[in-house]
Every structure is written in structure tokens, then in C-alpha cells.
Amino acid sequence: MRKILKSPGKYVQGAGILGELDEYLQGMGRRLLTLISQAGTKRICPTLDACFQGKDYELHYEIFQGECSQTQIDRLTAVAREQKSTAVVGIGGGKILDTAKAVAHYAALPAVIVPTVASTDSPCSSLSVVYLDSGEFDHYLFLNRCPDMVVDTAVVAKALVALLVAGMGDAMATYFEARACRASGSDNQTAGKPTRAATGLAA
């Protein structure tokens, strides 16, 4: 019986990590397509700009247009290719992160995920939920791998209290979901049985 654990390549946690992001990008090149919301540019970009100032990196910011749709994924994948990007950085909530992961998937690039809220499972998963441009659910996009790096910073703690509480509830529910999946004896998304490590992490 095979057991398979699928997880991000690197998980970096700590306050102020965003201000030293360049230290963790080894092997991901120097041209970063950075997907972020309009509001996020005011809160996050000054920190990123200060981090990369005077260093041999090029950040190309793209403003998220509100929906993780195939239209936006295709548009941003084209931008990644035009910019000769070497990695895709997604900064924000679930839909931004799912879009960044999908773009990295189609462009065959590393994905760096920077969540700004706790109330989403998107940061570590190998799945993007794709919607129509009008906002209705379209399909699930199953990705070949989880993000190459997830950066968890004090930014999450500064989000709305309601989102932090929702994230805590979601995290607690994960244990019961994982326990039920293990008890069922079913294969996981990678066509193998869950490992004890995965079940333990869910707790």
C-alpha cells in the first residue's frame, strides 16, 4: 500500500519575512511576476520595494482583476511569457493565490505564495478553483505540484478579525476532515493513502 504526502516545497514563517523575501528565492530566478490587489499595493508594495531595492531582481506588478477565471489566467500567463518571468508571486486572498498557482502551472514556473488572510486553504494546496468571469463556479484545476514556497508573515495577523476567526475555524475543521478521509480508506488526491505525518499536521 503506497502512502503519499504532497506539500509546499518550502514554508517560511515569521514576522517581517516579507521584508527579506529575496533571501528565500534561491533557484527561482530574478524576474518576478507579482500578482496583487489594488488595495494590497498600498500595504505590501513598499515593503517589497524596500526589500529588493539595489538588488538584481525585477518585479513586475500585475493588479488582480477580481476573479480567478480562465480569462484572467490566460491573460496573466501571456504576461509571464512576455516578461520572461522566472517565478510567479501571488499576494492576497484565496482567489489571487489560486490565480497565481494556475499561472505558474501553465507557464511552467515556480509559485511563491504570500497569504494575507487566514481564512483560506489556498496557500498550500495543489488546486485552483476557477470561476466564470461573471463569478459562478466553472471548474477545478488540479495542479502537478503544491506551491514551491509559502511565506506566512505578520501580514496575516493584521487582517480583519472576522477573517482570522474564520481561518481558525477552518483549521479546526481540517482535523475532522483528515480523520474522516483516513478512516474511509480512500485514496487521496495523489492516488495514495494519507501518511501519518499528513494526519498529524491536520491536527
Side-chain angles (χ1 to χ4, degrees):
M1 179 177 63
R2 61 183 176 186
K3 297 181 180 180
I4 304 174
L5 171 64
K6 195 174 186 182
S7 67
K10 184 185 296 184
Y11 188 94
V12 185
Q13 187 176 55
I17 294 296
L18 201 58
E20 52 192 50
L21 183 61
D22 60 301
E23 297 181 22
Y24 307 100
L25 296 175
Q26 298 90 342
M28 299 187 192
R30 302 283 176 166
R31 301 174 65 88
L32 309 178
L33 174 62
T34 305
L35 183 59
I36 192 169
S37 69
Q38 186 67 59
T41 59
K42 300 174 183 177
R43 295 184 292 114
I44 306 296
C45 288
T47 301
L48 285 179
D49 291 340
C51 171
F52 290 103
Q53 185 175 11
K55 298 171 184 175
D56 186 23
Y57 281 91
E58 293 183 29
L59 272 68
H60 177 82
Y61 292 112
E62 278 288 325
I63 303 302
F64 181 62
Q65 297 186 5
E67 201 58 74
C68 179
S69 67
Q70 197 63 50
T71 302
Q72 292 304 316
I73 292 168
D74 291 344
R75 179 183 72 83
L76 291 165
T77 301
V79 171
R81 290 170 177 155
E82 290 167 5
Q83 294 290 324
K84 295 182 170 57
S85 302
T86 60
V88 180
V89 181
I91 304 173
K95 289 191 176 184
I96 291 181
L97 304 185
D98 276 2
T99 303
K101 291 187 298 183
V103 172
H105 170 77
Y106 285 118
L109 296 173
V112 177
I113 299 300
V114 183
T116 58
V117 296
S119 56
T120 170
D121 287 327
S122 180
C124 297
S125 71
S126 57
L127 170 74
S128 289
V129 184
V130 182
Y131 297 83
L132 300 174
D133 292 327
S134 54
E136 292 88 1
F137 170 77
D138 187 7
H139 65 277
Y140 293 115
L141 174 63
F142 293 94
L143 310 172
N144 294 332
R145 64 179 191 264
C146 295
D148 296 84
M149 183 167 73
V150 176
V151 180
D152 187 359
T153 72
V155 175
V156 174
K158 294 178 181 177
L160 295 175
V161 172
L163 295 175
L164 182 60
V165 172
M168 293 166 65
D170 188 57
M172 292 174 64
T174 299
Y175 166 69
F176 298 99
E177 294 168 350
R179 188 176 67 174
C181 290
R182 186 177 184 86
S184 73
S186 302
D187 286 348
N188 59 24
Q189 187 180 318
T190 57
K193 305 302 180 188
T195 63
R196 290 187 179 184
T199 308
L201 288 168

